[in-house]
Amino acid sequence: VKVLGPDERPEAEERITPDATLNKIFFLLRNFSRVDFSFYKPGTIKRRITRRMFLRKIDKLEAYLQYLRRHRDEVEALFNDVLINVTSFFREPDSFEALKTVAFPAIMAQKGADVPIRIWVPGCSTGEEVYSIAIILLEFLGEKAPNTQIQIFATDLSEGIISKARAGIYPESVAMDISSERLRRFFLKVENGYQINKHIRDIVVFEKQDLAKDPPFSKLDLISCRNVMIYMSQVLQKRILPLFHYALNPGGILFLGSSETVGGFGELFVPLDKKNRIYTKKTMQSPVPLDFVARFHADQEIRVNAEAPKTLDLQKIGEQMLLYRYSPPSVIVNDRLEIVQFFGQTGPFLDPLPGDATLNLLRMVKTGLHLELRVAFQKAKRDGAVRKDGVLVQEDGGLKTVNFEISPIKNIPGGERYYLVVFEEANRSIIEEPKKNKTQAAPATKTGKREMSQLELENKRLKEELDASREYLQSIIEEQRTTNEELRSANEEIQSSNEELQSINEELETAKEELQSTNEELTTVNEELQNRNEELSKVNSDLSNLLSSVNIPIIMLGNDFRIRRFTPMAEKVMNLIPSDVGRPVTDVKPNVKTPDLRKAIQRTIDSLEIQEFRVEDNDKKSYSMRIRPYRTLDNKIDGVVIVLLDIDTRRAKA
Ligand SMILES: C[S@@+](CC[C@H](N)C(=O)[O-])C[C@H]1O[C@@H](n2cnc3c(N)ncnc32)[C@H](O)[C@@H]1O
């Protein structure tokens, strides 16, 4: 894992580089929001910019950059657009149910009664996700809820979004995602919608926070970060996942969106429910970026001081001192036999092999221990504790006898398996014993010479035995080497097919992520279109009402003389019926004697002049006929409007 500082620049291909103009747009966005979007997925960002350009009717990126420079409100609009705040209550309901059946039981299994449950929801958008989690947790706790302390932190990049989330007011349409039982229990009906009730709002703390650069929360039991990383490049994802590992308590849970995974961080998280993207933290040192660690430690120190116990825990201190002084040489290793902790003087048993540095126990023990340890581990994994006495180990050109014991460590949160391996030099007691006998016997019997020759014999026998063992050992080593080579080549084959599979898998994952993000973008565009549609039909019905209540004959025509719209009064005067819409007005035989309509209309279109004629209908009633150009909102001429004013009635009134 490459650890990055906040200002470090990652590999070029991960950034959106090709376009200097684009980089200038990122600069403007960074100045406005302090968020660096150059580590987000290029496709999404470009599509959002194109959308803004379309709305502003700008077709060149450079021109859009100039527009952004002159209009700060457009920078804000682009920032909000890029964030894609699509969200909803209980998004993927099965996954939320899995929190109740899988995640919360795992969290509660290792929680003390008085310890608060701490949850963080980064990228919370307008709050639907965090309130859904709070509801699920309260339902899970049931009667225990009033006596359980709950702290939920929800963060996002934009102050505006966070204020909406904090208010917790949602339109009536949310009822489609929430059962009526939940609506009744957790919401309050307000004008035009529902508000999440105060009790839940009080347990959630909303804050502005940039996941990519601000320090995380800590000592968490659950992090729910859904549909946020799909917008980020691999570089950013690789920075964030170790951070989550760091922020979680041992055995803490990570809840991701349906198309997100922990990627290459299998050593940090194990799936608890793969389908619903629920992972649990593995217990190991977090590879967290240093800048975060520094800030986190400062924060921790303050807290430790504030909560420091008044009385010293002498028993604990004593135990630690004794352990340091008297513990036998031993190590703790994980499932892959990597050493995670040393105790006592392990030097006499370890002798790292030349080559790449590693903490793998089998590559670190002295010659002679490898095979025995490997076999013993297989046994320990299968059957539990294993002890092995009298293992011959090479040292300084000779051999010594070593005993060891492997004990599995139980009840480790997070499901990872660890083993304690204790070493002991077997011949130490053998050497010490004759020495003791000798010093006791010497003054009384004076038989030192006879004992010496007996010792010499014993030595000889042992030496022969040792030689035989050495040969036997050598043959085992040889045997193992050939097996090893065969295994290695088989392993390499498996590894290469594995890599191929993995790369196919990753390609599929990326395609899926892209699809999901495009889908979310489409949802926002769709929402906007729906809003505009509603506006349009409102304007349309206003216009229809206006036209029917105006007691004046009015006809609207296109540039091609075709009738677009007319008022009910025009039906009578111009002899029109509803199906005349779309027909050229010159095909209609009006009830008034008009001048050459085609000519008059064409003249207005060409010269933009307003023309007025006096016309009479068949009953000799006089009208003033006005033909004026039809201007669109963007000042284009798109036909004419003909209005007929009843002169006789007006005159009579005057
Ligand atoms: C598509 S929404 C997902 C909302 C919610 N998590 C869900 O799944 O329903 C993505 C959210 O992530 C937020 N976001 C994007 N980058 C972020 C960052 N660096 N730090 C915090 N939030 C971020 C966006 O503002 C947006 O609200």
Side-chain angles (χ1 to χ4, degrees), residues 49-66:
I49 292 178
T50 312
R51 200 184 91 85
R52 291 303 314 167
M53 286 167 62
F54 174 75
L55 289 178
R56 293 278 161 239
K57 300 191 175 63
I58 297 173
D59 48 12
K60 293 258 164 14
L61 192 63
E62 182 60 39
Y64 185 60
L65 170 66
Q66 299 311 329

Side-chain angles (χ1 to χ4, degrees), residues 273-434:
D273 179 345
K274 207 167 180 183
K275 182 169 152 264
N276 290 305
R277 303 294 194 246
I278 298 177
Y279 298 85
T280 180
K281 167 180 166 157
K282 276 194 189 178
T283 313
M284 65 168 293
Q285 186 82 29
S286 300
V288 170
L290 292 174
D291 52 327
F292 285 119
V293 177
R295 284 188 247 182
F296 180 75
H297 277 172
D299 163 44
Q300 245 189 357
E301 261 163 37
I302 295 165
R303 209 156 328 139
V304 167
N305 286 344
E307 291 170 9
K310 301 240 171 352
T311 52
L312 287 172
D313 193 343
L314 285 174
Q315 185 184 348
K316 220 170 190 174
I317 295 173
E319 278 169 5
Q320 270 173 3
M321 287 175 70
L322 288 171
L323 191 67
Y324 183 75
R325 188 146 174 199
Y326 294 112
S327 67
S330 36
V331 292
I332 291 182
V333 295
N334 62 17
D335 221 9
R336 296 179 296 283
L337 305 196
E338 288 156 354
I339 302 175
V340 290
Q341 196 79 44
F342 292 93
F343 300 97
Q345 295 299 319
T346 45
F349 307 94
L350 302 184
D351 184 10
L353 285 181
D356 291 345
T358 169
L359 280 176
N360 188 296
L361 181 63
L362 297 185
R363 283 183 57 87
M364 287 199 75
V365 284
K366 288 201 161 158
T367 313
L369 269 169
H370 306 87
L371 191 65
E372 299 290 354
L373 271 172
R374 190 190 287 277
V375 175
F377 260 111
Q378 277 164 356
K379 235 172 153 189
K381 280 179 186 174
R382 213 177 42 234
D383 312 329
V386 171
R387 183 175 170 87
K388 180 86 192 164
D389 289 331
V391 182
L392 295 170
V393 174
Q394 271 185 8
E395 190 176 54
D396 301 333
L399 285 175
K400 69 174 178 183
T401 319
V402 166
N403 306 332
F404 65 80
E405 197 171 309
I406 304 175
S407 323
I409 304 176
K410 295 198 177 107
N411 300 331
I412 301 269
E416 177 119 52
R417 296 168 74 180
Y418 291 91
Y419 301 86
L420 175 69
V421 187
V422 182
F423 298 101
E424 148 194 322
E425 269 187 48
N427 38 1
R428 186 182 289 161
S429 52
I430 299 166
I431 293 161
E432 276 170 2
E433 238 169 63

Side-chain angles (χ1 to χ4, degrees), residues 77-280:
L78 176 63
F79 171 66
N80 288 326
D81 247 33
V82 167
L83 293 186
I84 308 182
N85 303 117
V86 178
T87 183
S88 58
F89 280 96
F90 304 101
R91 216 170 166 189
E92 288 126 20
D94 288 351
S95 303
F96 277 87
E97 280 308 309
L99 283 184
K100 212 186 265 180
T101 52
V102 179
F104 289 139
I107 291 172
M108 295 312 284
Q110 15 183 313
K111 266 237 152 269
D114 302 332
V115 189
I117 299 175
R118 284 166 63 89
I119 298 174
W120 178 27
V121 183
C124 64
S125 188
T126 36
E128 285 88 332
E129 178 193 356
V130 63
Y131 290 134
S132 304
I133 292 176
I135 289 172
I136 293 275
L137 178 59
L138 291 178
E139 286 176 347
F140 168 78
L141 290 171
E143 284 173 1
K144 288 192 222 131
N147 302 323
T148 311
Q149 290 183 60
I150 304 171
Q151 296 168 351
I152 306 184
F153 309 99
T155 56
D156 206 293
L157 282 178
S158 139
E159 202 60 75
I161 293 172
I162 289 170
S163 314
K164 278 192 194 162
R166 205 176 274 131
I169 300 175
Y170 300 97
E172 271 170 359
S173 55
V174 295
M176 288 198 308
D177 304 320
I178 307 167
S179 68
S180 48
E181 152 75 13
R182 281 178 178 158
L183 267 184
R184 213 174 27 252
R185 196 169 150 205
F186 300 108
F187 289 80
L188 198 73
K189 181 81 189 80
V190 290
E191 201 188 339
N192 297 330
Y194 296 95
Q195 181 171 33
I196 191 96
N197 70 27
K198 187 163 177 340
H199 167 62
I200 299 190
R201 273 183 287 135
D202 285 348
I203 54 179
V204 185
V205 178
F206 288 95
E207 235 179 71
K208 188 174 159 192
Q209 197 252 14
D210 183 351
L211 196 49
K213 70 174 189 335
D214 294 332
F217 291 84
S218 60
K219 300 194 173 150
L220 298 160
D221 299 301
L222 170 69
I223 296 178
S224 172
C225 183
R226 313 192 75 225
N227 310 302
V228 180
M229 285 193 294
I230 47 171
Y231 298 105
M232 297 173 168
S233 69
Q234 284 290 319
V235 168
L236 213 49
Q237 294 186 13
K238 282 183 184 165
R239 182 179 164 87
I240 287 169
L241 282 163
L243 201 75
F244 287 162
H245 184 266
Y246 183 77
L248 282 168
N249 281 330
I253 302 283
L254 177 64
F255 183 32
L256 297 179
S258 62
S259 54
E260 293 161 325
T261 63
V262 294
F265 286 100
E267 80 275 19
L268 299 185
F269 299 98
V270 253
L272 200 61
D273 179 345
K274 207 167 180 183
K275 182 169 152 264
N276 290 305
R277 303 294 194 246
I278 298 177
Y279 298 85
T280 180

Side-chain angles (χ1 to χ4, degrees), residues 551-555 573-574 592-595 597 610-617 620-628 641-651:
N551 242 358
I552 301 172
I554 302 174
I555 311 165
V573 182
M574 293 293 286
V592 284
K593 288 188 197 87
T594 59
L597 257 187
I610 301 172
Q611 299 182 67
E612 190 159 1
F613 308 96
R614 192 188 160 120
V615 294
E616 268 184 3
D617 66 8
K620 300 275 180 239
K621 201 169 166 189
S622 307
Y623 293 90
S624 160
M625 176 185 252
R626 276 190 205 151
I627 307 178
R628 45 170 75 236
V641 182
I642 302 177
V643 183
L644 289 135
L645 294 173
D646 180 348
I647 300 176
D648 293 347
T649 321
R650 277 194 173 188
R651 244 189 230 146

